[in-house]
Amino acid sequence: MTSPQPADARPRRRTAQSATLAEIAREAGVSAPTVSKVLNGRADVAPGTRHRVEELLRTHGYRRRRAEATRSPLIDLVFHELESAWAMEVIRGVENVARNAGLSVVLSESAGRLTPGRTWADQVAARRPHGVILVLSGLDASGQALLTSRSIPFVVMDPAGDPGTDVPSIGATNWQGGLAATRHLIELGHTRIGAVSGPSRMMCSRARIDGYRAALETAGLPVDPRLVVTGDFHHEAGYRQGLALLRRPDRPTAVFAGNDLQALGLYEAARELGLRIPEDVSVVGFDDLPIARWVGPPLTTVRQPLTEMAEAAAKLVLDLGRADEAPAATRVELATSLVVRSSTAAPAPAA
């Protein structure tokens, strides 16, 4: 019977602090310059070699020392979709901070995907920006490891799902906003209140509808599932789902539209059906985009401080790049507030 191998004789994996590029190159069976090419996002590396090196970088928890990471004067801003009105508020906030820091902003879109693809990750590695801000998006484990190994900090703004406890994020009080919007309609006397939610895969959308349900339940009103329909945060969804709600024989007297773009679609549906806002149906949006003040009638909505959220995300990503240790607060929610205008009123007396 053989005796157990002494603990100090067992092979040990190097830690993140002690693993070097030379050791990773030796384990991968490639040269140190090849590992450096992978780290810098160079295209002249075979896919199989790139994958093997990335796996070892991730396994070792390798992180490039900041002194080695020559950064470009850039912040990468990534949208899952570029919506002009909504995105402009976010771009403005990031630009405000970047300008003061002497940096430029690079915009990209992940074509509706909630996780950017590998090509994007390689491009970011090649650009070596000061940081990355992902809006209504996120990173999978390999994407996080890729940025971490290059010492490129990242922040998720308004995360689509739960980003995880170790991912810095900036959000808003979406549940409280949905509660305030619906409570406002209840206080006006509405008891039959519909809702057009955003995509169910997005955490902010689910939180707003949860707030809507909580307001109804707290007031002792039933939550009628037939009055809750799913949109996608676009104008067309508000129009299409608005027609479906307002054509019902027992149509709601008020609708929480989930966001301002869907509220504008609901305006169009109401006009097409010959219904007046707010005399026949009250409408509440969410976001408080500039257009909300100029439509007729001006839209009651929940203000989501998009520009301030973007500024906070940009400041946080720069702080993460400067600090040896993470800032104390890396998960922040900014307050929403109800803005009452002319699209809501007490329901008309029953005929």
Side-chain angles (χ1 to χ4, degrees), residues 244-257:
L245 282 175
L246 299 179
R247 279 175 173 158
R248 295 183 60 87
D250 54 349
R251 64 174 176 81
T253 61
V255 179
F256 171 42

Side-chain angles (χ1 to χ4, degrees), residues 16 29 49 59 89 103 118 152 167 175 185 229 268 305 319 322 333 335 342 344:
T49 301
T59 301
E89 299 301 301
L103 305 175
R118 175 68 206 212
I152 300 173
V167 175
W175 183 88
L185 295 170
V229 294
E268 184 179 348
D319 286 346
R322 284 190 289 260
E333 282 194 343
S342 305
T344 51

Side-chain angles (χ1 to χ4, degrees), residues 325-345:
E325 297 181 1
T330 57
R331 299 196 71 176
V332 179
E333 282 194 343
L334 274 65
T336 54
S337 57
L338 182 69
V339 180
V340 179
R341 297 193 179 101
S342 305
S343 67
T344 51

Side-chain angles (χ1 to χ4, degrees), residues 169-215:
S169 64
I170 303 292
T173 54
N174 289 290
W175 183 88
Q176 184 63 41
L179 180 82
T182 311
R183 184 172 286 166
H184 168 66
L185 295 170
I186 293 169
E187 290 172 350
L188 288 172
H190 294 275
T191 58
R192 190 161 182 78
I193 302 170
V196 184
S197 78
S200 57
R201 62 181 177 163
M202 290 187 178
M203 188 166 64
C204 63
S205 172
R206 296 196 302 270
R208 292 172 196 178
I209 290 300
D210 285 346
Y212 156 85
R213 291 192 178 99

Side-chain angles (χ1 to χ4, degrees), residues 53-66:
V53 171
E54 288 286 5
E55 283 296 316
L56 286 169
L57 290 170
R58 182 161 52 249
T59 301
H60 282 283
Y62 177 83
R63 187 180 185 117
R64 171 178 270 172
R65 293 192 300 272
R66 289 194 175 92

